[in-house]
Every structure is written in C-alpha cells, then in structure tokens.
C-alpha cells in the first residue's frame, strides 16, 4: 500500500505547502513512492496560491509551488491519508477535534519525526519577514528527511 501523507497548517499558504514541496523532493531523491498533499484547518485561503514569500523560498531550492492551491482539511482526509502531520500544536488540537471516530489516518505533530525536536511546532512565518520562511524551509526539510528515513517504521 502506497503511503499517503497530508501536511496541515492554519492557512495552507505558508508552512504546509513548503512541507509538501520538501517531502516531494526528498521522496523523489530517495526513489520512494508516496502520495503527498497539504491542507489548512481554516478556509481563509481556499483556492489561493501559496504566499509569495513561500513561493520564493521554494524557488531558491529549485522547486515551483506556484501552482499549488489552498484547500481546507476535511473529515474524508482521515480516510484518504495514512498519515496526517500537523505543523503545530494548535492545528493538531483542531485536527483531533474534527477527526471522525472511524478515521484511519495516524495523526502526529510533524516535528515529532525529528529527534530532539519532539513536541515542537513549526513557527508560523506569516506575520514575520523573509528569514522566517528560510527557518520554515529548514524545519520542514529536516522533517521530510526524517519521514523518508523512517518510512519502514511508520508504514501501517
Ligand atoms: P500557514 O500561515 O498556516 O503556515 O499557511 C498562515 C497563513 C495565513 C494566515 C495565518 C497563518 N492568516 O492569518 O491569514
């Protein structure tokens, strides 16, 4: 069964699209077959492209995310995905709230995948400057590498 991984932040225009891009890149590099997507707990940016600063950050790493579009996470995602990773604790709390009783996806905090970073959220760069997006990229890349490395053990 092909693993299917969903990254969830608040707006789906900053952190989770970068996490999606990072995992796509790392999985491709490793030759791993995995489905990857991202969504937001809010509906504020549905159908919107990622934040221009996120697009620029991915572009610096040779990845085009300008065609990504925002969407809101739904109950169906807990059946469609094998793993759902929240970018921070607040979003994890909201995901637990909307998780259907029969949902099959494993739900976890993204940085729990990175040794030494357990329990830590990826800081929201939306109200900050360009440097915050570089920090986001570092975080999601470390997590993406950990996901790829841990694949054998997180596979259901
Ligand atoms: P994200 O960042 O959750 O990483 O996509 C945000 C994007 C938009 C807003 C907040 C956070 N907002 O308030 O619109």
């Amino acid at each position: 069964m092909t693993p299917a991984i969903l990254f969830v932040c608040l707006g789906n225009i900053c952190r989770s699209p970068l996490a999606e891009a990072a995992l796509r890149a790392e999985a491709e590099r490793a030759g791993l077959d995995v489905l990857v997507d991202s969504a937001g707990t809010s509906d504020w940016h549905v159908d919107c492209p990622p934040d221009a600063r996120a697009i620029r950050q991915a572009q610096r790493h040779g990845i085009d995310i300008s065609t990504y579009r925002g969407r809101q996470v739904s109950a169906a995602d807990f059946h469609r995905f094998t793993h759902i990773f929240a970018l921070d604790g607040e979003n994890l709390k909201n995901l637990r709230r909307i998780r259907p009783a029969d949902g099959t996806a494993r739900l976890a905090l993204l940085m729990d995948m990175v040794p030494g970073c357990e329990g830590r959220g990826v800081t929201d760069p939306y109200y900050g400057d360009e440097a915050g997006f570089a920090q986001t990229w570092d975080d999601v890349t470390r997590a993406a590498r950990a996901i790829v490395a841990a694949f054998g053990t997180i596979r259901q």
Side-chain angles (χ1 to χ4, degrees):
M1 178 176 163
T2 302
I5 295 179
L6 179 68
F7 296 108
V8 179
C9 62
L10 177 59
N12 192 210
I13 57 167
C14 298
R15 292 166 292 176
S16 62
L18 288 175
E20 177 182 347
L23 183 58
R24 284 186 190 284
E26 294 298 330
E28 193 178 326
R29 208 165 286 151
L32 280 179
D33 186 24
V34 58
L35 286 168
V36 191
D37 197 8
S38 64
T41 50
S42 78
D43 65 358
W44 303 338
H45 300 281
V46 170
D47 291 332
C48 295
D51 186 282
R53 296 164 295 176
I55 292 175
R56 280 197 294 274
Q57 187 58 42
Q59 200 59 62
R60 284 186 197 106
H61 299 277
I63 302 168
D64 178 18
I65 63 166
S66 66
T67 57
Y68 289 16
R69 291 295 178 267
R71 75 171 181 89
Q72 188 174 27
V73 69
S74 70
D77 287 321
F78 288 85
H79 296 284
R80 290 171 39 210
F81 292 89
T82 56
H83 299 80
I84 298 179
F85 288 110
L87 274 281
D88 65 25
E90 191 62 29
N91 287 296
L92 180 62
K93 212 187 302 173
N94 287 324
L95 285 165
R96 287 202 176 113
R97 207 170 288 153
I98 64 163
R99 177 186 207 161
D102 62 347
T104 48
R106 289 186 184 187
L107 181 56
L109 192 62
L110 179 62
M111 294 308 281
D112 280 353
M113 295 302 295
V114 182
C117 294
E118 296 88 349
R120 176 160 94 66
V122 175
T123 304
D124 186 351
Y126 185 69
Y127 294 105
D129 58 15
E130 204 88 15
F133 284 79
Q135 180 62 54
T136 301
W137 181 259
D138 283 355
D139 285 346
V140 300
T141 296
R142 290 169 75 200
R145 286 178 182 154
I147 289 170
V148 167
F151 235 72
T153 54
I154 67 168
R155 202 185 294 259
Q156 286 183 347

